[in-house]
Amino acid sequence: AATVKAKVADSDLAGKDTTWALSVDYTAGATTITAFATDNYDFAGNDSLGLGAAYDLGGGAAVKGGVVDNGFDTIADLGMTFAF
């Protein structure tokens, strides 16, 4: 019921040469909950944390929403998706 994804990247940016991301998806019935954290390439320490949810309505329709704190702002969204 759970999926874990991880990413590590190495670059030659001065002062910060490694970044990472980690996410976890958990599905229970028609609902999927996603949480993630990232260590970004910036120097200001504004790493991101997020939490989202999706509910499958059937027939290709879903309600999806989430909240992200990117170190500067907290951003939220909510909407519907349709697949034909």
Side-chain angles (χ1 to χ4, degrees):
T3 302
V4 177
K5 299 175 187 174
K7 177 185 91 167
V8 176
D10 189 24
S11 73
D12 292 328
L13 291 175
K16 179 115 178 182
D17 52 18
T18 303
T19 188
W20 57 267
L22 178 67
S23 70
V24 176
D25 294 329
Y26 178 77
T27 302
T31 303
T32 300
I33 305 294
T34 302
F36 75 89
T38 64
D39 176 27
N40 296 321
Y41 278 119
D42 61 21
F43 304 101
N46 61 331
D47 302 330
S48 298
L49 295 172
L51 183 63
Y55 184 77
D56 185 357
L57 298 170
V63 175
K64 296 182 179 184
V67 177
V68 175
D69 179 356
N70 66 9
F72 294 117
D73 294 313
T74 300
I75 303 165
D77 67 353
L78 179 66
M80 292 185 71
T81 61
F82 301 94
F84 300 99

Short mmCIF file of all heavy atoms in Angstrom, two decimals:
data_model
loop_
_atom_site.label_atom_id
_atom_site.label_comp_id
_atom_site.label_asym_id
_atom_site.label_seq_id
_atom_site.Cartn_x
_atom_site.Cartn_y
_atom_site.Cartn_z
N ALA A 1 0.81 -1.20 0.00
CA ALA A 1 0.00 0.00 0.00
C ALA A 1 0.85 1.25 0.00
O ALA A 1 0.35 2.33 -0.27
CB ALA A 1 -0.93 0.01 1.20
N ALA A 2 2.14 1.14 0.31
CA ALA A 2 3.03 2.31 0.38
C ALA A 2 4.13 2.21 -0.67
O ALA A 2 4.61 1.13 -0.99
CB ALA A 2 3.65 2.44 1.75
N THR A 3 4.48 3.38 -1.21
CA THR A 3 5.58 3.49 -2.17
C THR A 3 6.53 4.56 -1.65
O THR A 3 6.10 5.67 -1.33
CB THR A 3 5.07 3.90 -3.56
OG1 THR A 3 4.12 2.95 -4.01
CG2 THR A 3 6.20 4.00 -4.55
N VAL A 4 7.82 4.23 -1.58
CA VAL A 4 8.84 5.18 -1.14
C VAL A 4 9.75 5.47 -2.31
O VAL A 4 10.20 4.54 -3.00
CB VAL A 4 9.65 4.61 0.05
CG1 VAL A 4 10.74 5.57 0.46
CG2 VAL A 4 8.73 4.30 1.22
N LYS A 5 10.03 6.76 -2.54
CA LYS A 5 10.95 7.17 -3.61
C LYS A 5 12.01 8.07 -3.01
O LYS A 5 11.71 8.91 -2.16
CB LYS A 5 10.20 7.93 -4.71
CG LYS A 5 9.13 7.14 -5.39
CD LYS A 5 8.36 7.99 -6.37
CE LYS A 5 7.17 7.26 -6.93
NZ LYS A 5 6.34 8.12 -7.76
N ALA A 6 13.25 7.88 -3.47
CA ALA A 6 14.35 8.71 -3.00
C ALA A 6 15.21 9.11 -4.18
O ALA A 6 15.35 8.36 -5.15
CB ALA A 6 15.19 7.95 -1.98
N LYS A 7 15.79 10.32 -4.10
CA LYS A 7 16.67 10.81 -5.14
C LYS A 7 17.81 11.56 -4.48
O LYS A 7 17.61 12.34 -3.54
CB LYS A 7 15.92 11.76 -6.06
CG LYS A 7 16.78 12.38 -7.14
CD LYS A 7 16.01 13.41 -7.94
CE LYS A 7 16.19 14.74 -7.28
NZ LYS A 7 15.78 15.90 -8.06
N VAL A 8 19.03 11.31 -4.95
CA VAL A 8 20.20 12.04 -4.51
C VAL A 8 20.92 12.51 -5.76
O VAL A 8 21.10 11.74 -6.70
CB VAL A 8 21.14 11.16 -3.65
CG1 VAL A 8 22.40 11.92 -3.28
CG2 VAL A 8 20.43 10.67 -2.41
N ALA A 9 21.31 13.79 -5.77
CA ALA A 9 22.01 14.34 -6.93
C ALA A 9 23.28 15.04 -6.46
O ALA A 9 23.31 15.66 -5.40
CB ALA A 9 21.12 15.32 -7.67
N ASP A 10 24.31 14.93 -7.24
CA ASP A 10 25.59 15.56 -6.96
C ASP A 10 25.90 16.55 -8.08
O ASP A 10 25.73 16.23 -9.25
CB ASP A 10 26.69 14.50 -6.87
CG ASP A 10 28.00 15.05 -6.37
OD1 ASP A 10 27.99 16.08 -5.67
OD2 ASP A 10 29.03 14.44 -6.66
N SER A 11 26.33 17.75 -7.73
CA SER A 11 26.67 18.76 -8.73
C SER A 11 27.93 19.48 -8.29
O SER A 11 28.49 19.21 -7.24
CB SER A 11 25.52 19.75 -8.91
OG SER A 11 25.46 20.60 -7.79
N ASP A 12 28.33 20.45 -9.09
CA ASP A 12 29.53 21.22 -8.79
C ASP A 12 29.21 22.64 -8.36
O ASP A 12 30.00 23.55 -8.57
CB ASP A 12 30.46 21.24 -10.01
CG ASP A 12 31.04 19.88 -10.30
OD1 ASP A 12 31.25 19.11 -9.34
OD2 ASP A 12 31.26 19.56 -11.48
N LEU A 13 28.04 22.87 -7.76
CA LEU A 13 27.70 24.19 -7.27
C LEU A 13 28.58 24.52 -6.06
O LEU A 13 28.75 23.69 -5.16
CB LEU A 13 26.23 24.27 -6.86
CG LEU A 13 25.22 24.20 -7.99
CD1 LEU A 13 23.81 24.15 -7.41
CD2 LEU A 13 25.36 25.38 -8.90
N ALA A 14 29.12 25.72 -6.04
CA ALA A 14 30.02 26.12 -4.95
C ALA A 14 29.28 26.12 -3.62
O ALA A 14 28.21 26.69 -3.47
CB ALA A 14 30.57 27.51 -5.23
N GLY A 15 29.83 25.45 -2.63
CA GLY A 15 29.29 25.45 -1.28
C GLY A 15 28.16 24.46 -1.04
O GLY A 15 27.80 24.21 0.09
N LYS A 16 27.58 23.92 -2.08
CA LYS A 16 26.48 22.98 -1.90
C LYS A 16 26.50 22.03 -3.08
O LYS A 16 26.07 22.38 -4.16
CB LYS A 16 25.16 23.72 -1.83
CG LYS A 16 23.97 22.82 -1.67
CD LYS A 16 23.31 23.04 -0.37
CE LYS A 16 22.09 22.16 -0.26
NZ LYS A 16 21.39 22.36 0.96
N ASP A 17 27.01 20.84 -2.90
CA ASP A 17 27.13 19.98 -4.06
C ASP A 17 26.32 18.69 -3.98
O ASP A 17 26.44 17.84 -4.83
CB ASP A 17 28.59 19.65 -4.35
CG ASP A 17 29.34 19.12 -3.15
OD1 ASP A 17 28.70 18.67 -2.20
OD2 ASP A 17 30.56 19.16 -3.19
N THR A 18 25.48 18.54 -2.99
CA THR A 18 24.61 17.37 -2.92
C THR A 18 23.21 17.82 -2.50
O THR A 18 23.06 18.66 -1.63
CB THR A 18 25.13 16.35 -1.90
OG1 THR A 18 26.45 15.97 -2.26
CG2 THR A 18 24.25 15.11 -1.87
N THR A 19 22.21 17.27 -3.15
CA THR A 19 20.83 17.55 -2.79
C THR A 19 20.07 16.22 -2.77
O THR A 19 20.53 15.25 -3.35
CB THR A 19 20.17 18.55 -3.76
OG1 THR A 19 18.89 18.92 -3.25
CG2 THR A 19 20.04 17.98 -5.14
N TRP A 20 18.94 16.19 -2.09
CA TRP A 20 18.17 14.95 -2.01
C TRP A 20 16.68 15.25 -1.96
O TRP A 20 16.26 16.37 -1.64
CB TRP A 20 18.58 14.12 -0.80
CG TRP A 20 18.45 14.83 0.50
CD1 TRP A 20 19.42 15.54 1.15
CD2 TRP A 20 17.27 14.94 1.32
NE1 TRP A 20 18.92 16.08 2.31
CE2 TRP A 20 17.61 15.72 2.44
CE3 TRP A 20 15.98 14.46 1.20
CZ2 TRP A 20 16.69 16.03 3.43
CZ3 TRP A 20 15.06 14.78 2.20
CH2 TRP A 20 15.44 15.54 3.30
N ALA A 21 15.89 14.24 -2.25
CA ALA A 21 14.44 14.31 -2.15
C ALA A 21 13.92 12.95 -1.70
O ALA A 21 14.48 11.92 -2.08
CB ALA A 21 13.81 14.70 -3.48
N LEU A 22 12.87 12.95 -0.92
CA LEU A 22 12.27 11.73 -0.41
C LEU A 22 10.75 11.90 -0.43
O LEU A 22 10.24 12.94 -0.01
CB LEU A 22 12.73 11.45 1.01
CG LEU A 22 12.15 10.22 1.71
CD1 LEU A 22 12.63 8.94 1.03
CD2 LEU A 22 12.54 10.21 3.17
N SER A 23 10.04 10.90 -0.96
CA SER A 23 8.58 10.97 -0.94
C SER A 23 7.99 9.61 -0.56
O SER A 23 8.60 8.57 -0.80
CB SER A 23 8.01 11.40 -2.29
OG SER A 23 8.18 10.39 -3.26
N VAL A 24 6.82 9.66 0.05
CA VAL A 24 6.10 8.46 0.44
C VAL A 24 4.64 8.61 -0.01
O VAL A 24 4.01 9.63 0.29
CB VAL A 24 6.14 8.24 1.97
CG1 VAL A 24 5.32 7.03 2.36
CG2 VAL A 24 7.56 8.11 2.45
N ASP A 25 4.15 7.63 -0.75
CA ASP A 25 2.73 7.57 -1.14
C ASP A 25 2.10 6.40 -0.39
O ASP A 25 2.67 5.32 -0.35
CB ASP A 25 2.57 7.29 -2.64
CG ASP A 25 3.09 8.42 -3.51
OD1 ASP A 25 3.03 9.58 -3.08
OD2 ASP A 25 3.55 8.13 -4.63
N TYR A 26 0.92 6.64 0.17
CA TYR A 26 0.18 5.57 0.84
C TYR A 26 -1.24 5.55 0.28
O TYR A 26 -1.93 6.58 0.28
CB TYR A 26 0.14 5.78 2.35
CG TYR A 26 -0.65 4.72 3.06
CD1 TYR A 26 -0.09 3.46 3.26
CD2 TYR A 26 -1.94 4.95 3.50
CE1 TYR A 26 -0.82 2.46 3.90
CE2 TYR A 26 -2.67 3.96 4.13
CZ TYR A 26 -2.10 2.72 4.32
OH TYR A 26 -2.82 1.73 4.94
N THR A 27 -1.65 4.40 -0.21
CA THR A 27 -2.97 4.26 -0.82
C THR A 27 -3.86 3.37 0.05
O THR A 27 -3.45 2.29 0.46
CB THR A 27 -2.87 3.66 -2.23
OG1 THR A 27 -2.04 4.50 -3.02
CG2 THR A 27 -4.22 3.54 -2.88
N ALA A 28 -5.07 3.86 0.33
CA ALA A 28 -6.08 3.10 1.07
C ALA A 28 -7.40 3.30 0.33
O ALA A 28 -7.98 4.38 0.37
CB ALA A 28 -6.18 3.58 2.51
N GLY A 29 -7.83 2.27 -0.36
CA GLY A 29 -9.06 2.39 -1.14
C GLY A 29 -8.88 3.37 -2.27
O GLY A 29 -7.93 3.30 -3.04
N ALA A 30 -9.75 4.36 -2.36
CA ALA A 30 -9.70 5.36 -3.43
C ALA A 30 -8.86 6.57 -3.06
O ALA A 30 -8.72 7.50 -3.84
CB ALA A 30 -11.12 5.81 -3.77
N THR A 31 -8.26 6.57 -1.86
CA THR A 31 -7.50 7.72 -1.38
C THR A 31 -6.00 7.43 -1.40
O THR A 31 -5.57 6.37 -0.96
CB THR A 31 -7.92 8.08 0.06
OG1 THR A 31 -9.32 8.31 0.08
CG2 THR A 31 -7.19 9.30 0.56
N THR A 32 -5.24 8.39 -1.90
CA THR A 32 -3.78 8.32 -1.85
C THR A 32 -3.26 9.55 -1.12
O THR A 32 -3.63 10.68 -1.45
CB THR A 32 -3.17 8.27 -3.26
OG1 THR A 32 -3.66 7.13 -3.95
CG2 THR A 32 -1.65 8.20 -3.21
N ILE A 33 -2.44 9.33 -0.11
CA ILE A 33 -1.79 10.40 0.66
C ILE A 33 -0.32 10.42 0.26
O ILE A 33 0.33 9.38 0.21
CB ILE A 33 -1.91 10.15 2.18
CG1 ILE A 33 -3.37 9.96 2.60
CG2 ILE A 33 -1.24 11.27 2.97
CD1 ILE A 33 -4.23 11.18 2.43
N THR A 34 0.21 11.61 0.00
CA THR A 34 1.61 11.77 -0.38
C THR A 34 2.28 12.77 0.55
O THR A 34 1.72 13.84 0.82
CB THR A 34 1.74 12.28 -1.83
OG1 THR A 34 1.10 11.35 -2.69
CG2 THR A 34 3.19 12.42 -2.23
N ALA A 35 3.48 12.44 1.03
CA ALA A 35 4.30 13.36 1.82
C ALA A 35 5.69 13.39 1.19
O ALA A 35 6.17 12.37 0.70
CB ALA A 35 4.38 12.90 3.27
N PHE A 36 6.31 14.58 1.20
CA PHE A 36 7.66 14.66 0.65
C PHE A 36 8.50 15.71 1.37
O PHE A 36 7.97 16.61 2.02
CB PHE A 36 7.63 14.95 -0.86
CG PHE A 36 7.29 16.38 -1.20
CD1 PHE A 36 8.28 17.34 -1.30
CD2 PHE A 36 5.99 16.75 -1.41
CE1 PHE A 36 7.97 18.64 -1.62
CE2 PHE A 36 5.66 18.05 -1.73
CZ PHE A 36 6.66 19.01 -1.83
N ALA A 37 9.80 15.55 1.24
CA ALA A 37 10.77 16.51 1.77
C ALA A 37 11.92 16.61 0.78
O ALA A 37 12.30 15.61 0.16
CB ALA A 37 11.30 16.05 3.13
N THR A 38 12.46 17.82 0.61
CA THR A 38 13.60 18.03 -0.28
C THR A 38 14.64 18.90 0.39
O THR A 38 14.32 19.76 1.19
CB THR A 38 13.19 18.71 -1.61
OG1 THR A 38 12.71 20.02 -1.34
CG2 THR A 38 12.15 17.91 -2.35
N ASP A 39 15.87 18.67 0.02
CA ASP A 39 16.99 19.52 0.40
C ASP A 39 17.45 20.18 -0.90
O ASP A 39 18.12 19.55 -1.71
CB ASP A 39 18.10 18.67 1.02
CG ASP A 39 19.34 19.49 1.35
OD1 ASP A 39 19.21 20.70 1.60
OD2 ASP A 39 20.44 18.91 1.36
N ASN A 40 17.05 21.43 -1.13
CA ASN A 40 17.27 22.09 -2.41
C ASN A 40 18.70 22.57 -2.60
O ASN A 40 19.49 22.63 -1.67
CB ASN A 40 16.30 23.26 -2.55
CG ASN A 40 14.86 22.80 -2.58
OD1 ASN A 40 14.55 21.79 -3.17
ND2 ASN A 40 13.99 23.54 -1.92
N TYR A 41 19.01 22.98 -3.83
CA TYR A 41 20.34 23.46 -4.20
C TYR A 41 20.65 24.86 -3.71
O TYR A 41 21.72 25.37 -3.95
CB TYR A 41 20.49 23.48 -5.72
CG TYR A 41 20.84 22.16 -6.33
CD1 TYR A 41 19.98 21.57 -7.24
CD2 TYR A 41 22.01 21.51 -6.02
CE1 TYR A 41 20.28 20.36 -7.83
CE2 TYR A 41 22.33 20.30 -6.59
CZ TYR A 41 21.46 19.74 -7.50
OH TYR A 41 21.77 18.55 -8.07
N ASP A 42 19.72 25.53 -3.08
CA ASP A 42 19.97 26.92 -2.73
C ASP A 42 20.84 27.04 -1.49
O ASP A 42 21.19 26.08 -0.84
CB ASP A 42 18.65 27.66 -2.52
CG ASP A 42 17.85 27.04 -1.39
OD1 ASP A 42 18.44 26.35 -0.55
OD2 ASP A 42 16.65 27.24 -1.37
N PHE A 43 21.16 28.28 -1.17
CA PHE A 43 22.04 28.55 -0.03
C PHE A 43 21.29 29.21 1.12
O PHE A 43 21.85 29.51 2.14
CB PHE A 43 23.20 29.42 -0.48
CG PHE A 43 23.95 28.81 -1.62
CD1 PHE A 43 23.74 29.25 -2.92
CD2 PHE A 43 24.82 27.77 -1.42
CE1 PHE A 43 24.41 28.67 -3.98
CE2 PHE A 43 25.50 27.18 -2.47
CZ PHE A 43 25.29 27.63 -3.76
N ALA A 44 19.99 29.46 0.93
CA ALA A 44 19.20 30.16 1.94
C ALA A 44 18.54 29.21 2.93
O ALA A 44 17.90 29.64 3.87
CB ALA A 44 18.13 31.02 1.26
N GLY A 45 18.65 27.92 2.71
CA GLY A 45 18.05 26.96 3.62
C GLY A 45 16.56 26.77 3.44
O GLY A 45 15.88 26.30 4.33
N ASN A 46 16.05 27.16 2.28
CA ASN A 46 14.61 27.03 2.08
C ASN A 46 14.27 25.68 1.45
O ASN A 46 13.85 25.59 0.31
CB ASN A 46 14.03 28.18 1.26
CG ASN A 46 14.63 28.27 -0.12
OD1 ASN A 46 15.75 27.88 -0.34
ND2 ASN A 46 13.88 28.81 -1.05
N ASP A 47 14.44 24.65 2.21
CA ASP A 47 14.06 23.31 1.77
C ASP A 47 12.54 23.19 1.80
O ASP A 47 11.86 23.98 2.42
CB ASP A 47 14.70 22.28 2.69
CG ASP A 47 16.22 22.43 2.71
OD1 ASP A 47 16.78 22.85 1.70
OD2 ASP A 47 16.82 22.14 3.75
N SER A 48 12.01 22.20 1.09
CA SER A 48 10.56 22.07 0.94
C SER A 48 10.02 20.86 1.68
O SER A 48 10.65 19.80 1.71
CB SER A 48 10.20 21.94 -0.54
OG SER A 48 10.60 23.08 -1.25
N LEU A 49 8.83 21.04 2.25
CA LEU A 49 8.07 19.95 2.85
C LEU A 49 6.66 20.03 2.30
O LEU A 49 6.11 21.13 2.13
CB LEU A 49 8.00 20.11 4.37
CG LEU A 49 9.30 20.01 5.14
CD1 LEU A 49 9.07 20.38 6.60
CD2 LEU A 49 9.85 18.61 5.03
N GLY A 50 6.04 18.90 2.00
CA GLY A 50 4.70 18.93 1.44
C GLY A 50 3.86 17.74 1.84
O GLY A 50 4.37 16.68 2.20
N LEU A 51 2.56 17.94 1.76
CA LEU A 51 1.59 16.90 2.06
C LEU A 51 0.44 17.07 1.08
O LEU A 51 -0.07 18.18 0.89
CB LEU A 51 1.07 17.04 3.50
CG LEU A 51 0.09 15.99 4.00
CD1 LEU A 51 0.76 14.61 4.00
CD2 LEU A 51 -0.39 16.35 5.38
N GLY A 52 0.04 15.96 0.46
CA GLY A 52 -1.04 16.03 -0.52
C GLY A 52 -1.95 14.83 -0.40
O GLY A 52 -1.62 13.83 0.23
N ALA A 53 -3.11 14.94 -1.04
CA ALA A 53 -4.07 13.85 -1.05
C ALA A 53 -4.80 13.84 -2.38
O ALA A 53 -5.00 14.88 -3.01
CB ALA A 53 -5.07 14.00 0.09
N ALA A 54 -5.19 12.65 -2.80
CA ALA A 54 -5.99 12.48 -4.01
C ALA A 54 -7.08 11.46 -3.71
O ALA A 54 -6.83 10.46 -3.04
CB ALA A 54 -5.12 12.00 -5.17
N TYR A 55 -8.27 11.74 -4.23
CA TYR A 55 -9.39 10.83 -4.07
C TYR A 55 -9.94 10.50 -5.45
O TYR A 55 -10.40 11.39 -6.17
CB TYR A 55 -10.48 11.44 -3.18
CG TYR A 55 -11.61 10.48 -2.92
CD1 TYR A 55 -11.47 9.45 -2.01
CD2 TYR A 55 -12.82 10.58 -3.61
CE1 TYR A 55 -12.50 8.55 -1.77
CE2 TYR A 55 -13.85 9.69 -3.38
CZ TYR A 55 -13.69 8.67 -2.46
OH TYR A 55 -14.69 7.78 -2.23
N ASP A 56 -9.90 9.23 -5.81
CA ASP A 56 -10.36 8.77 -7.11
C ASP A 56 -11.89 8.67 -7.10
O ASP A 56 -12.46 7.90 -6.33
CB ASP A 56 -9.74 7.41 -7.42
CG ASP A 56 -10.07 6.91 -8.81
OD1 ASP A 56 -10.82 7.57 -9.54
OD2 ASP A 56 -9.55 5.82 -9.16
N LEU A 57 -12.53 9.47 -7.95
CA LEU A 57 -13.98 9.48 -8.03
C LEU A 57 -14.53 8.44 -9.00
O LEU A 57 -15.73 8.21 -9.06
CB LEU A 57 -14.47 10.87 -8.47
CG LEU A 57 -14.14 12.01 -7.53
CD1 LEU A 57 -14.47 13.35 -8.18
CD2 LEU A 57 -14.87 11.86 -6.22
N GLY A 58 -13.62 7.80 -9.74
CA GLY A 58 -14.03 6.82 -10.74
C GLY A 58 -14.28 7.48 -12.08
O GLY A 58 -14.47 8.69 -12.17
N GLY A 59 -14.24 6.70 -13.13
CA GLY A 59 -14.48 7.23 -14.46
C GLY A 59 -13.44 8.20 -14.96
O GLY A 59 -13.69 8.99 -15.85
N GLY A 60 -12.25 8.19 -14.38
CA GLY A 60 -11.18 9.09 -14.80
C GLY A 60 -11.15 10.42 -14.07
O GLY A 60 -10.31 11.27 -14.36
N ALA A 61 -12.03 10.63 -13.11
CA ALA A 61 -12.07 11.89 -12.36
C ALA A 61 -11.47 11.68 -10.97
O ALA A 61 -11.61 10.63 -10.36
CB ALA A 61 -13.51 12.39 -12.23
N ALA A 62 -10.79 12.72 -10.48
CA ALA A 62 -10.20 12.67 -9.14
C ALA A 62 -10.18 14.07 -8.54
O ALA A 62 -10.08 15.06 -9.26
CB ALA A 62 -8.79 12.11 -9.18
N VAL A 63 -10.27 14.15 -7.23
CA VAL A 63 -10.08 15.39 -6.49
C VAL A 63 -8.69 15.32 -5.89
O VAL A 63 -8.33 14.31 -5.27
CB VAL A 63 -11.13 15.54 -5.36
CG1 VAL A 63 -10.85 16.78 -4.53
CG2 VAL A 63 -12.53 15.58 -5.94
N LYS A 64 -7.90 16.39 -6.10
CA LYS A 64 -6.53 16.40 -5.60
C LYS A 64 -6.24 17.73 -4.92
O LYS A 64 -6.74 18.78 -5.34
CB LYS A 64 -5.53 16.21 -6.75
CG LYS A 64 -5.65 14.87 -7.42
CD LYS A 64 -4.61 14.71 -8.51
CE LYS A 64 -4.74 13.33 -9.16
NZ LYS A 64 -3.68 13.12 -10.15
N GLY A 65 -5.42 17.68 -3.87
CA GLY A 65 -5.03 18.90 -3.17
C GLY A 65 -3.75 18.69 -2.41
O GLY A 65 -3.32 17.56 -2.19
N GLY A 66 -3.13 19.79 -2.04
CA GLY A 66 -1.89 19.67 -1.28
C GLY A 66 -1.46 20.99 -0.67
O GLY A 66 -1.98 22.06 -1.01
N VAL A 67 -0.49 20.90 0.23
CA VAL A 67 0.10 22.04 0.89
C VAL A 67 1.61 21.85 0.87
O VAL A 67 2.11 20.76 1.16
CB VAL A 67 -0.38 22.17 2.36
CG1 VAL A 67 0.31 23.32 3.06
CG2 VAL A 67 -1.87 22.32 2.42
N VAL A 68 2.34 22.93 0.50
CA VAL A 68 3.80 22.88 0.45
C VAL A 68 4.36 24.08 1.20
O VAL A 68 3.89 25.20 1.03
CB VAL A 68 4.32 22.92 -1.01
CG1 VAL A 68 5.84 23.01 -1.05
CG2 VAL A 68 3.83 21.72 -1.78
N ASP A 69 5.35 23.84 2.04
CA ASP A 69 6.12 24.91 2.67
C ASP A 69 7.49 24.90 2.00
O ASP A 69 8.25 23.95 2.17
CB ASP A 69 6.25 24.68 4.16
CG ASP A 69 7.06 25.75 4.87
OD1 ASP A 69 7.60 26.65 4.19
OD2 ASP A 69 7.19 25.67 6.10
N ASN A 70 7.81 25.94 1.22
CA ASN A 70 9.07 25.96 0.49
C ASN A 70 10.13 26.82 1.15
O ASN A 70 11.14 27.16 0.53
CB ASN A 70 8.84 26.42 -0.96
CG ASN A 70 8.38 27.84 -1.07
OD1 ASN A 70 8.37 28.59 -0.09
ND2 ASN A 70 7.97 28.24 -2.25
N GLY A 71 9.93 27.21 2.39
CA GLY A 71 10.91 28.02 3.09
C GLY A 71 10.63 29.50 3.01
O GLY A 71 11.04 30.26 3.88
N PHE A 72 9.94 29.94 1.96
CA PHE A 72 9.54 31.34 1.81
C PHE A 72 8.05 31.52 2.04
O PHE A 72 7.61 32.47 2.65
CB PHE A 72 9.87 31.86 0.40
CG PHE A 72 11.33 31.92 0.10
CD1 PHE A 72 11.86 31.13 -0.90
CD2 PHE A 72 12.18 32.75 0.80
CE1 PHE A 72 13.20 31.18 -1.20
CE2 PHE A 72 13.52 32.80 0.52
CZ PHE A 72 14.03 32.01 -0.49
N ASP A 73 7.27 30.60 1.48
CA ASP A 73 5.82 30.69 1.51
C ASP A 73 5.22 29.33 1.80
O ASP A 73 5.84 28.30 1.58
CB ASP A 73 5.26 31.13 0.15
CG ASP A 73 5.66 32.54 -0.22
OD1 ASP A 73 5.54 33.44 0.63
OD2 ASP A 73 6.10 32.74 -1.37
N THR A 74 3.98 29.34 2.25
CA THR A 74 3.18 28.13 2.33
C THR A 74 2.14 28.23 1.22
O THR A 74 1.40 29.22 1.15
CB THR A 74 2.51 27.98 3.69
OG1 THR A 74 3.53 27.92 4.69
CG2 THR A 74 1.66 26.72 3.76
N ILE A 75 2.12 27.24 0.34
CA ILE A 75 1.27 27.27 -0.84
C ILE A 75 0.33 26.08 -0.79
O ILE A 75 0.74 24.97 -0.45
CB ILE A 75 2.14 27.18 -2.12
CG1 ILE A 75 3.15 28.33 -2.13
CG2 ILE A 75 1.28 27.21 -3.36
CD1 ILE A 75 4.27 28.14 -3.12
N ALA A 76 -0.94 26.30 -1.13
CA ALA A 76 -1.93 25.23 -1.15
C ALA A 76 -2.67 25.25 -2.47
O ALA A 76 -2.80 26.29 -3.12
CB ALA A 76 -2.91 25.41 0.00
N ASP A 77 -3.13 24.08 -2.88
CA ASP A 77 -3.96 23.99 -4.08
C ASP A 77 -5.00 22.90 -3.88
O ASP A 77 -4.84 22.00 -3.08
CB ASP A 77 -3.13 23.75 -5.34
CG ASP A 77 -2.45 22.40 -5.37
OD1 ASP A 77 -2.48 21.68 -4.35
OD2 ASP A 77 -1.86 22.05 -6.40
N LEU A 78 -6.09 23.02 -4.63
CA LEU A 78 -7.17 22.05 -4.59
C LEU A 78 -7.86 22.09 -5.93
O LEU A 78 -8.11 23.18 -6.48
CB LEU A 78 -8.17 22.37 -3.48
CG LEU A 78 -9.37 21.44 -3.36
CD1 LEU A 78 -8.93 20.05 -2.94
CD2 LEU A 78 -10.37 22.01 -2.36
N GLY A 79 -8.13 20.93 -6.49
CA GLY A 79 -8.79 20.91 -7.80
C GLY A 79 -9.21 19.51 -8.18
O GLY A 79 -9.11 18.57 -7.39
N MET A 80 -9.69 19.42 -9.41
CA MET A 80 -10.12 18.13 -9.97
C MET A 80 -9.31 17.84 -11.21
O MET A 80 -8.92 18.77 -11.93
CB MET A 80 -11.61 18.16 -10.30
CG MET A 80 -12.50 18.23 -9.08
SD MET A 80 -14.24 18.11 -9.49
CE MET A 80 -14.34 16.39 -9.97
N THR A 81 -9.05 16.55 -11.45
CA THR A 81 -8.41 16.13 -12.69
C THR A 81 -9.35 15.18 -13.41
O THR A 81 -10.15 14.48 -12.80
CB THR A 81 -7.06 15.43 -12.43
OG1 THR A 81 -7.29 14.28 -11.63
CG2 THR A 81 -6.09 16.36 -11.71
N PHE A 82 -9.24 15.20 -14.74
CA PHE A 82 -10.05 14.33 -15.59
C PHE A 82 -9.16 13.66 -16.61
O PHE A 82 -8.35 14.33 -17.25
CB PHE A 82 -11.13 15.15 -16.31
CG PHE A 82 -12.06 15.87 -15.38
CD1 PHE A 82 -11.82 17.19 -15.03
CD2 PHE A 82 -13.17 15.23 -14.87
CE1 PHE A 82 -12.68 17.86 -14.18
CE2 PHE A 82 -14.02 15.89 -14.01
CZ PHE A 82 -13.78 17.22 -13.67
N ALA A 83 -9.28 12.36 -16.74
CA ALA A 83 -8.52 11.60 -17.76
C ALA A 83 -9.54 10.98 -18.71
O ALA A 83 -10.48 10.32 -18.27
CB ALA A 83 -7.67 10.52 -17.11
N PHE A 84 -9.34 11.21 -19.99
CA PHE A 84 -10.27 10.69 -21.00
C PHE A 84 -9.61 9.63 -21.83
O PHE A 84 -8.47 9.61 -22.07
CB PHE A 84 -10.75 11.82 -21.92
CG PHE A 84 -11.46 12.90 -21.18
CD1 PHE A 84 -10.81 14.08 -20.83
CD2 PHE A 84 -12.77 12.74 -20.80
CE1 PHE A 84 -11.46 15.09 -20.15
CE2 PHE A 84 -13.44 13.77 -20.12
CZ PHE A 84 -12.78 14.93 -19.80
#
